[in-house]
Amino acid sequence: MTSRVTVQRDVPVPMHDGVRLLTDLYSPVGVQRPPTILIRSPYGRAGVVGWMYGRAFARHGFQVVVQSCRGGFGSGGLLDPLGDEHEDGLATVEWMRAQPWYSGSFGMHGPSYLGFTQWAIAADTPDLKAMATQVTASCFRDAAYVGGAFALESSLVWTTMTAKLEGRSRAGALLAPHRTRRAVLSGRPLKDLDRVSAGRPLPFFQELLTHHGDPASPYWKKRDFSDTVQRVAAEVTMTGGWYDVFLPWQLKDYAAMRAAGRQPYLTIGPWYHADLRHGRPANADALAWFRAHLLGDPSGLRALPVRLYVTGADEWRDYPDWPVPGVSQRRWHLQPGFNLGPSVVDSAPDAYRYDPRHPTPVLGGPVLIGNSEPRDNRRLEARRDVLVYTSPVLTADTDLIGPVSADLYVRTSRDHTDLVVRVCDVHPDGTSMNVCEGVRRLTPADVADADGVRRILVDLWPIGHRFRRGHQIRVQVASGAYPRIPRNPGTGEPIGTIGPMLPSDQEVFHDPARPSAVLLPHV
């Protein structure tokens, strides 16, 4: 480790269109042409970013380049979220190659948007040798339109926060979650919520509303690098959290690399997206990764590539792959009397009415900014618009690690409606703590049979959890998770429009011909 670091601030780096992006250079004193670590951020270069990434890695003998993305913190141009990171990233690499301190190879590091900037150039940069990505994915589209619904709260809080950061008002950015919650509960139409939360229209928020339901549009094609993941030659380590908004798509990136014959490392902890607790272990993981793949010192790498924190058991475990070996998907069927079990029991369907004028709320679960740790869901489960199915008391510890889905047979009075499925851990004292959940927006494309029943698959967040002996497994079925997703008006109108709010009567079937169930990964 070197004891001294020099910093050169506000270096203008030219882009292909003439815009200059301000960049800080952290150099270890006495180290000749060390490997470079590039960090590209829309959140500024100084303060926590400079300390955690710039100084921390330069002290370990790396040349660190910390750059502000265009349109923020002195960098030229206009912020076009996700849209310019491919071209700007490649132009930055070209500039690095011309610098006397550049050694010929580099790594990239950072969470969330900083991770997206890595995937944006990874397949087209042969001297990129190592990537350390955290709570991120190669495409943010599916997280913005989770299950076909719109991730309202996360989208609005991020656009509000970045709007406040543009003016370097960190205090204003810190208030973004409060402003967002006030906006989404105001009852105003979706297209006006940015004005309520930020005081002005936010172009990116409006673009998200406009391009909802059109994943193949040129708008998203420019911002989607998932098809390039299999071409990435760099060595990749990923850090995620069980309650992170990007976890399902981070795991798709992992699977894509495995399908290409690569072996990324994967760590999933008991963290949510903005959780400060994953910063230190993520940096430690990145440092070991860069030492291995940029300095040729693999001594800090663990033996097995996958490390998971199993909640409920409260322990870390190492595995050779994801999904972990020895997992079997078992069906836990919805049963009469609101029971949950392995067998199918003939019974009449259960029913509820969803009224978008009084939308079903959400307690806990993945959101971009804010604490997403599990919460007691009993208040939610007492509502008439939530069906609740509970297993018998478990006689042994039950470890569930892997993908989760729900296979539901439903009949709805509206072609346009939502299904929300949630798995909870019921403790002996009755508290019902959410573990994972999923959303599916139904449209006329979900074809019904002659009786009007549609078979719907809902993908939930993956799970790594022990249901302890004496606990119970619980499944919720509802049609709202407000304000995480907006209320579904039942009309099929574009999500930003103003129109009538139509209730929907829902039936969930569980009989031998239509055996609704949740599929859980038993170890």
Side-chain angles (χ1 to χ4, degrees):
M1 177 187 293
T2 183
S3 59
R4 293 182 55 222
V5 173
T6 62
V7 184
Q8 187 178 358
R9 298 196 184 278
D10 300 338
V11 177
V13 176
M15 300 294 103
H16 294 151
D17 60 357
V19 166
R20 295 179 180 272
L21 305 187
L22 295 189
T23 303
D24 292 349
L25 308 179
Y26 293 80
S27 305
V29 173
V31 182
Q32 297 299 315
R33 302 185 76 208
T36 299
I37 298 173
L38 172 62
I39 294 162
R40 304 192 61 251
S41 168
Y43 308 123
R45 306 179 303 284
V48 173
V49 173
W51 184 263
M52 282 188 62
Y53 302 136
R55 291 188 181 276
F57 286 90
R59 286 197 180 105
H60 286 274
F62 295 95
Q63 173 76 44
V64 185
V65 177
V66 183
Q67 182 179 82
S68 288
C69 297
R70 70 168 55 211
F73 293 86
S75 287
L78 297 175
L79 176 66
D80 181 20
L82 311 177
D84 293 309
E85 306 314 338
H86 179 69
E87 293 82 1
D88 288 354
L90 293 181
T92 301
V93 173
E94 288 182 21
W95 174 84
M96 289 195 314
R97 290 171 181 152
Q99 305 310 305
W101 41 259
Y102 186 63
S103 65
S105 65
F106 73 103
M108 295 186 75
H109 178 40
S112 194
Y113 198 108
L114 285 68
F116 177 83
T117 67
Q118 300 180 49
W119 288 116
I121 66 170
D124 300 318
T125 314
D127 40 348
L128 175 60
K129 302 301 183 184
M131 296 166 54
T133 70
Q134 302 92 37
V135 290
T136 193
S138 60
C139 179
F140 288 176
R141 180 195 61 232
D142 291 341
Y145 307 131
V146 57
F150 178 49
L152 169 60
E153 189 172 19
S154 291
S155 299
L156 186 60
V157 75
W158 190 83
T159 50
T160 301
M161 181 187 71
T162 51
K164 298 300 180 182
L165 282 174
E166 288 174 14
R168 295 177 179 261
S169 173
R170 294 190 181 276
L174 292 174
L175 291 174
H178 171 73
R179 295 175 185 272
T180 297
R181 181 53 65 103
R182 182 186 64 186
V184 297
L185 297 179
S186 68
R188 299 277 293 275
L190 261 63
K191 67 181 183 63
D192 295 335
L193 294 185
D194 50 356
R195 295 172 176 85
V196 180
S197 64
R200 61 182 175 86
L202 301 175
F204 185 50
F205 182 75
Q206 295 297 325
E207 289 165 4
L208 291 176
L209 293 178
T210 300
H211 295 283
H212 175 262
D214 188 13
S217 69
Y219 179 86
W220 280 112
K221 184 175 179 60
K222 181 181 179 181
R223 293 162 169 81
D224 181 359
F225 299 97
S226 58
D227 288 343
T228 72
V229 171
Q230 292 191 0
R231 295 195 288 109
V232 173
E235 301 292 343
V236 179
T237 183
M238 305 175 178
T239 301
W242 292 121
Y243 317 121
D244 176 41
V245 290
F246 296 120
L247 180 62
W249 301 281
Q250 186 175 39
L251 291 174
K252 285 188 177 182
D253 291 338
Y254 175 91
M257 295 202 76
R258 292 293 290 130
R262 307 301 307 284
Q263 181 58 78
Y265 271 44
L266 174 68
T267 303
I268 306 177
W271 306 310
Y272 49 91
H273 188 78
D275 196 335
L276 297 178
R277 295 174 300 176
H278 62 61
R280 186 182 296 272
N283 259 15
D285 176 71
L287 179 59
W289 198 250
F290 294 141
R291 292 187 65 85
H293 300 293
L294 297 178
L295 296 176
D297 175 14
S299 61
L301 298 183
R302 60 181 182 256
L304 294 177
V306 175
R307 175 165 290 176
L308 309 175
Y309 187 88
V310 181
T311 57
D314 301 327
E315 64 185 26
W316 288 96
R317 299 181 190 172
D318 290 354
Y319 293 97
D321 207 352
W322 173 275
V324 303
V327 168
S328 60
Q329 289 283 344
R330 301 184 192 174
R331 295 177 66 92
W332 286 73
H333 290 275
L334 312 188
Q335 297 177 336
F338 298 104
N339 293 313
L340 183 72
S343 59
V344 181
V345 180
D346 196 3
S347 56
D350 297 314
Y352 65 96
R353 165 169 280 204
Y354 172 73
D355 188 344
R357 294 168 299 181
H358 307 285
T360 314
V362 64
L363 292 173
V367 68
L368 190 70
I369 305 296
N371 191 325
S372 302
E373 290 183 319
R375 294 176 58 186
D376 186 356
N377 269 239
R378 283 180 291 181
R379 181 162 55 91
L380 176 63
E381 292 165 355
R383 291 176 59 100
R384 289 181 294 179
D385 55 2
V386 181
L387 301 180
V388 180
Y389 301 88
T390 308
S391 77
V393 173
L394 299 173
T395 58
D397 290 346
T398 302
D399 289 354
L400 306 179
I401 304 174
V404 179
S405 61
D407 182 15
L408 300 182
Y409 293 81
V410 299
R411 183 163 57 201
T412 66
S413 62
R414 305 279 173 199
D415 286 339
H416 296 273
T417 191
D418 293 337
L419 284 177
V420 177
V421 181
R422 187 172 294 110
V423 175
C424 294
D425 181 344
V426 182
H427 294 222
D429 65 359
T431 58
S432 179
M433 307 299 289
N434 57 292
V435 178
C436 66
E437 64 185 60
V439 178
R440 174 74 184 274
R441 175 147 290 197
L442 277 60
T443 70
D446 298 297
V447 180
D449 64 15
D451 294 324
V453 178
R454 296 188 273 183
R455 184 179 184 179
I456 304 298
L457 181 68
V458 183
D459 290 322
L460 280 68
W461 255 238
I463 192 174
H465 184 73
R466 168 174 289 176
F467 289 81
R468 291 184 177 271
R469 180 172 60 88
H471 289 218
Q472 296 166 282
I473 300 172
R474 176 167 289 170
V475 173
Q476 301 174 14
V477 179
S479 291
Y482 191 74
R484 181 164 308 129
I485 60 172
R487 60 190 88 199
N488 192 322
T491 61
E493 294 296 318
I495 60 173
T497 58
I498 305 172
M501 295 280 180
L502 305 178
S504 181
D505 292 309
Q506 326 286 49
E507 293 177 281
V508 179
F509 290 78
H510 38 77
D511 56 58
R514 293 164 290 198
S516 293
V518 63
L519 282 69
L520 298 178
H522 286 250
V523 179

